[in-house]
């Protein structure tokens, strides 16, 4: 991502206001990107990284792993940074042609379809709670083994349970605790991770940590 003067000023404000934290330098780059995208400092206390999440995600990006997203807004939000760097294939569950399922949403059934097609892909759930539930179920039954799951859907019913199940899985993941979240948050996380991966793998740089 190209940063302009106003972006640098905004990031400087975030740095001065965020206060003490225990994030690694790479994790902090993701956190400040989310805060920049949302103007919401509460994400500092809501975002969680599993062990090796950034390392696994960066390596998968560098390996040109397929990225599966739940809604077009995430796809549009990450397309420029992906196209300018690793050019990973990106597929959206809402745009997947599937037979209608009476007890499943389009996002959920599309996610299942794509997950079975790309079981070791990078999965980004920014909006659909049902897509996250379907993905977690496939992880729990060991039908898929994602390189990374980013789960940030907002919601009041069931999203906390789905996020907790993601937390309990051994899958590398980045998640948002509680009710908050959005496609904007998911895209910000992906774009931050792409920048980190590009510095580490796409050009000479330091390892992610």
């Amino acid at each position: 991502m190209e940063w302009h003067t106003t972006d640098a000023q905004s990031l400087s404000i975030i740095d001065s206001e965020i206060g003490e934290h225990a994030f690694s330098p790479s994790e902090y780059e993701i956190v400040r990107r989310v805060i920049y995208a949302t103007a919401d400092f509460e994400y500092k206390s809501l975002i969680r990284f599993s062990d090796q999440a950034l390392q696994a995600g960066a390596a998968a990006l560098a390996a040109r792993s397929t990225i599966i997203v739940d809604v077009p807004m995430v796809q549009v939000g990450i397309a420029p940074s992906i196209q300018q760097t690793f050019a990973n294939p990106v597929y959206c569950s809402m745009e997947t042609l599937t037979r209608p399922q009476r007890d499943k949403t389009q996002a959920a059934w599309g996610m299942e379809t794509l997950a079975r097609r790309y079981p070791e892909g990078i999965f980004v759930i920014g909006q659909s709670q049902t897509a996250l539930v379907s993905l977690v179920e496939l992880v729990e039954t060991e039908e898929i083994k994602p390189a990374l799951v980013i789960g940030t859907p907002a919601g009041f019913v069931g999203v906390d349970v789905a996020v907790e199940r993601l937390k309990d899985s051994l899958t590398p993941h980045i998640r948002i605790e509680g009710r908050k979240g959005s496609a904007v948050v998911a895209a910000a996380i992906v774009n931050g991770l792409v920048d980190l991966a590009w510095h580490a793998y796409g050009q000479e740089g330091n390892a992610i940590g």
Side-chain angles (χ1 to χ4, degrees), residues 23 31 34 40-50 125 132 149-156 158-169 173-182 185-186 189:
F23 298 114
V31 173
V34 170
D40 189 343
F41 278 87
E42 190 178 357
Y43 281 110
K44 171 189 171 184
S45 61
L46 298 178
I47 192 167
R48 299 286 188 274
F49 301 88
S50 72
I125 316 295
L132 181 59
V149 174
I150 296 171
T152 69
F156 294 92
V159 69
D160 53 342
V161 176
V163 170
E164 191 68 22
R165 288 165 65 184
L166 176 61
K167 173 185 174 182
D168 291 338
S169 76
H173 67 270
I174 303 170
R175 68 187 190 276
I176 298 295
E177 299 275 279
R179 294 174 169 178
K180 275 191 173 183
S182 70
V185 173
I189 292 172

Side-chain angles (χ1 to χ4, degrees), residues 74-86:
V74 176
Q75 188 170 19
V76 170
I78 69 175
S81 62
I82 293 294
Q83 291 168 358
Q84 293 166 15
T85 54
F86 300 107

